[in-house]
Amino acid sequence: MRSHYLIAFAQSHGDFRLPELQSVSELHGFSVSLPEDPDTSRPFMVVELEEEEHARTLAKRCILIKSIYEFYARGKTYDEVHDMNRSNKHLWEKFIPDTSFKFNVAGFNHTIPQKRQRDVIESFSYMDFRGKIDMKNPEIKIACFEEYESRPAPANGSPRKRCENDGQFKEVFFGRLIAEGTARQLIGVFDVKKRAYFGNTSMEAEISLLMANQTLASPSKWIYDPFMGTGSMAYVSFQTIFPTPNPPLIPPNHVLMPHSLHQPTAHFGAIVFGSDIDGRQMRGKGKPPGVMRAATQYGVASRIIDLCTFDVTHNPWRCGELFDAIVTDPPYGVRAGAKRLGRKKELSEAKKALYLHHSQSPRPDDQPYIPPTKPYELSSLATDLVLLSRYLLRPGGRLVFFLPTVTDEYQEVDIDSMMCEGMQVIANSLQDFGSWGRRLITIRKTTTRKYPLPAFPAVTDELEEVHIPAHRDFREKYFQGFNKGQGDHSISGSLST
């Protein structure tokens, strides 16, 4: 029989919550029943799970979960809360005889005065808990949350009055704490500012962790990043989730063993391969290479199989279905532009003949040949990435990547225009920056048919000729829009590529 649980979310990336819940539950082999019309802008959500252990699993792995409670009651008024709580007495009556407890009352978007906190606690006296009150190490923790609407600051700039509008809450939630969210501490562990090696295109830690969850990263999984850069997506795919408040630093060269996913300490545990057309981003300056220095800092260098320099449209792959997931943040031309091999302008026949002559009779002082590159338009890159993923992913594997779009121009067909047979979009989450946003796209390979290595033509496909997606020529739209003053949204700290 399924039971109800109350999830308290961190107030960030609301559009990413449901895909993360569904991905983590799929990874661990259970399902989450969501409300009919879930509102991801609110801090609380009541879901259904088969057993309490599943709630603990979500709390250990989901980056956006602060805590999970056994759900007892909710209501627009305390009378409604008490009526529902009395009807659910079978859930909490086992704690009445002799269980130490702690009772918390908190407000979201509001500070509740201590006197009214006491009044709220006393209103639940009918529960008649006979165990002692233990504020430090109770056997159970009971919590009551009042959710308030966010309020704008006073127009005159003066501070808002303390406890203003107290009691005018939107809804009240009540339940027993099952588990605190332990995965969020990894945001601090992987903080870019603390990393041994990073660049101006490094992805922020919280987003990297969310991307790793979308890939279903776990022990023995093979994950590929075709636009590796400084490796932000790689490190989190094979790190450990610590259940303790202060996670210890992993000793250098320590090999993480693939423990069971249901043990108190669970590993992401994946094995990673990375490539990039520009090896300088992966290497950095000094030795060992920059990506390996950062991986050593986290104690997971042994899980990076290799780092190679090549263009994904001229790749060395000779067989497909190698990887369980592909995760990447493709360059889209704001801080670093995407490139592919080729020339912006083709050589004349005379110059081609001259190059051929030199290649057949090289001079002693000739330098190593550096192939020319040309810009890689974003919509073509996205289409090619899906085709490459269909070839390289195992059946059921996932492609997870960011796609920037112009907010006012975006349509659902934009995503459809890059899709191909055998690939299905299962999640599309928006990180909104105002005039533009970036969408975390999760695509599953649904076919078992084997496809040949894509040819990656330089021309656009027929679907893009019929419909021009909002991400087409994103770089030009981005700079034109902001230069014209059409937006006032800083990209500092949020734009990675």
Side-chain angles (χ1 to χ4, degrees):
M1 180 179 177
R2 301 180 75 84
S3 301
H4 290 85
Y5 294 87
L6 173 66
I7 299 178
F9 287 105
Q11 285 307 288
S12 61
H13 309 300
D15 212 28
F16 293 67
R17 293 173 182 173
L18 302 187
E20 184 183 41
L21 283 176
Q22 292 163 337
S23 294
V24 172
S25 61
E26 179 181 334
L27 172 63
H28 291 272
F30 61 88
S31 63
V32 179
S33 297
L34 301 171
E36 288 186 7
D37 188 19
D39 185 353
T40 56
S41 66
R42 299 182 63 180
F44 305 105
M45 182 180 294
V46 178
V47 302
E48 292 184 27
L49 299 168
E50 286 285 351
E51 54 186 79
E52 188 173 302
E53 185 59 31
H54 294 164
R56 299 183 188 277
T57 299
L58 291 176
K60 292 172 188 174
R61 181 69 188 249
C62 289
I63 306 302
L64 297 178
I65 289 180
K66 291 177 65 177
S67 50
I68 297 185
Y69 300 79
E70 182 181 28
F71 175 71
Y72 289 165
R74 67 189 296 178
K76 303 288 186 183
T77 66
Y78 272 102
D79 288 339
E80 292 181 5
V81 172
H82 293 313
D83 288 343
M84 181 179 287
N85 189 43
R86 286 187 174 96
S87 67
N88 286 328
K89 184 177 180 179
H90 62 282
L91 297 175
W92 48 263
E93 62 183 352
K94 58 181 175 290
F95 302 118
I96 293 177
D98 188 20
T99 304
S100 62
F101 68 96
K102 178 181 178 180
F103 202 122
N104 288 333
V105 178
F108 175 79
N109 278 334
H110 182 73
T111 300
I112 303 175
Q114 287 191 355
K115 180 181 183 305
R116 200 168 68 77
Q117 288 185 39
R118 289 194 297 270
D119 293 341
V120 170
I121 294 173
E122 290 174 1
S123 71
F124 287 90
S125 60
Y126 60 85
M127 297 178 74
D128 196 25
F129 284 173
R130 298 167 190 170
K132 68 175 183 178
I133 298 173
D134 189 341
M135 303 303 289
K136 292 185 177 181
N137 296 298
E139 294 176 72
I140 63 169
K141 294 181 181 179
I142 305 295
C144 185
F145 299 102
E146 295 182 359
E147 179 189 354
Y148 288 76
E149 297 280 7
S150 59
R151 302 186 300 276
N156 58 7
S158 60
R160 187 181 293 114
K161 295 180 180 179
R162 183 175 175 81
C163 304
E164 182 181 2
N165 298 329
D166 185 51
Q168 299 178 20
F169 46 78
K170 181 176 182 179
E171 194 169 8
V172 177
F173 297 87
F174 183 61
R176 174 181 65 89
L177 179 66
I178 299 296
E180 299 282 0
T182 55
R184 285 195 63 76
Q185 64 191 272
L186 288 177
I187 298 172
V189 173
F190 288 102
D191 187 352
V192 175
K193 296 177 182 178
K194 303 175 183 177
R195 191 171 298 168
Y197 174 70
F198 62 91
N200 63 354
T201 61
S202 295
M203 180 70 74
E204 60 267 35
E206 186 173 16
I207 291 293
S208 297
L209 289 160
L210 289 171
M211 295 178 77
N213 273 343
Q214 287 301 102
T215 67
L216 309 185
S218 60
S220 78
K221 294 284 185 70
W222 285 69
I223 294 180
Y224 172 43
D225 185 347
F227 301 96
M228 186 77 165
T230 58
S232 295
M233 265 66 71
Y235 311 126
V236 300
S237 297
F238 36 55
Q239 185 56 305
T240 306
I241 292 181
F242 297 94
T244 55
N246 298 305
L249 292 176
I250 308 175
N253 303 320
H254 177 69
V255 179
L256 298 177
M257 300 303 293
H259 295 181
S260 167
L261 292 174
H262 296 285
Q263 293 298 319
T265 301
H267 295 278
F268 280 27
I271 299 170
V272 174
F273 179 89
S275 71
D276 203 299
I277 192 173
D278 187 352
R280 293 173 297 179
Q281 283 288 313
M282 296 185 291
R283 293 191 297 269
K285 294 182 179 180
K287 292 185 178 180
V291 169
M292 298 305 295
R293 283 203 304 276
T296 301
Q297 173 188 356
Y298 299 123
V300 291
S302 62
R303 292 194 175 275
I304 297 182
I305 296 301
D306 207 348
L307 303 172
C308 296
T309 301
F310 58 80
D311 175 9
V312 292
T313 65
H314 295 75
N315 59 68
W317 304 117
R318 295 296 175 264
C319 62
E321 300 187 1
L322 292 172
F323 300 103
D324 297 286
I326 294 176
V327 59
T328 192
D329 181 32
Y332 32 90
V334 177
R335 288 186 175 175
K339 302 287 185 180
R340 62 180 294 181
L341 294 181
R343 297 182 183 275
K344 296 179 182 178
K345 185 178 180 180
E346 289 299 324
L347 295 176
S348 65
E349 292 299 324
K351 287 190 175 181
K352 286 182 180 179
L354 185 61
Y355 275 113
L356 181 61
H357 172 73
H358 280 298
S359 65
Q360 293 175 346
S361 55
R363 298 182 304 179
D365 60 342
D366 274 355
Q367 297 298 313
Y369 177 71
I370 300 176
T373 60
K374 61 183 180 180
Y376 199 178
E377 204 284 315
L378 180 60
S379 59
S380 297
L381 184 156
T383 301
D384 291 346
L385 181 59
V386 175
L387 285 171
L388 178 65
S389 300
R390 184 177 66 175
Y391 174 71
L392 289 178
L393 287 175
R394 295 169 181 167
R398 291 185 169 197
L399 165 64
V400 181
F401 69 103
F402 264 115
L403 183 73
T405 60
V406 181
T407 303
D408 293 339
E409 298 179 12
Y410 172 77
Q411 301 177 51
E412 291 297 328
V413 71
D414 293 351
I415 307 301
D416 297 335
S417 68
M418 70 177 68
M419 298 302 293
C420 61
E421 181 184 7
M423 302 291 279
Q424 177 187 13
V425 177
I426 59 174
N428 180 352
S429 305
L430 173 64
Q431 186 179 14
D432 192 356
F433 298 129
S435 297
W436 72 284
R438 58 183 182 184
R439 292 182 172 272
L440 184 60
I441 310 297
T442 305
I443 299 174
R444 176 188 287 129
K445 181 177 178 179
T446 58
T447 180
T448 57
R449 176 184 170 187
K450 294 183 180 295
Y451 289 85
L453 181 66
F456 304 115
V459 297
T460 57
D461 57 34
E462 294 180 0
L463 281 177
E464 288 191 349
E465 292 175 359
V466 174
H467 170 75
I468 300 177
H471 54 274
R472 182 77 174 267
D473 299 322
F474 176 78
R475 182 180 187 277
E476 289 73 15
K477 294 177 182 177
Y478 179 88
F479 285 113
Q480 288 175 5
F482 281 85
N483 288 340
K484 292 178 180 179
Q486 294 176 357
D488 187 26
H489 306 278
S490 172
I491 63 173
S492 176
S494 63
L495 182 62
S496 69
T497 311

